[in-house]
Amino acid sequence: MRKITVSVQVDAEKLRAIQFYAGRKNSAVETELEDCVNKTYEKCVHAQTREYIESIAAPARHSGPRRPASAAEEAENER
């Protein structure tokens, strides 16, 4: 899926505190925010809608023509 950037305003002191304590947990503010967005997405968006969005995004991940497997590759996959 295509990603976009979201901007929010936050108090500078609060952001520094978040950065400090997230860093102590070997994390980053961006990672923590991504987790929050994902939890909000799962909480607010119906399961059927999430499934639909994921299904239309899946083909984009496998873009490009697929070449047929060779006989050797097929034999290897059967093992």
Side-chain angles (χ1 to χ4, degrees):
M1 277 188 260
R2 184 175 69 90
K3 300 218 178 208
I4 65 166
T5 300
V6 177
S7 298
V8 295
Q9 291 187 342
V10 62
D11 181 71
E13 290 299 318
K14 289 180 181 180
L15 179 59
R16 279 195 283 276
I18 294 169
Q19 290 170 323
F20 175 77
Y21 286 105
R24 291 180 71 179
K25 294 184 344 183
N26 293 322
S27 186
V29 174
E30 294 82 3
T31 303
E32 298 293 329
L33 290 172
E34 285 177 11
D35 289 345
C36 288
V37 168
N38 288 331
K39 287 177 185 174
T40 304
Y41 172 74
E42 290 178 5
K43 176 183 171 186
C44 295
V45 178
H46 295 283
Q48 295 90 349
T49 304
R50 292 193 314 262
E51 184 178 320
Y52 172 73
I53 290 170
E54 291 167 11
S55 72
I56 61 173
R61 291 186 193 133
H62 301 293
S63 61
R66 294 179 55 132
R67 65 176 179 82
S70 68
E73 288 173 331
E74 288 180 6
E76 184 67 30
N77 289 335
E78 291 178 1
R79 292 183 190 169

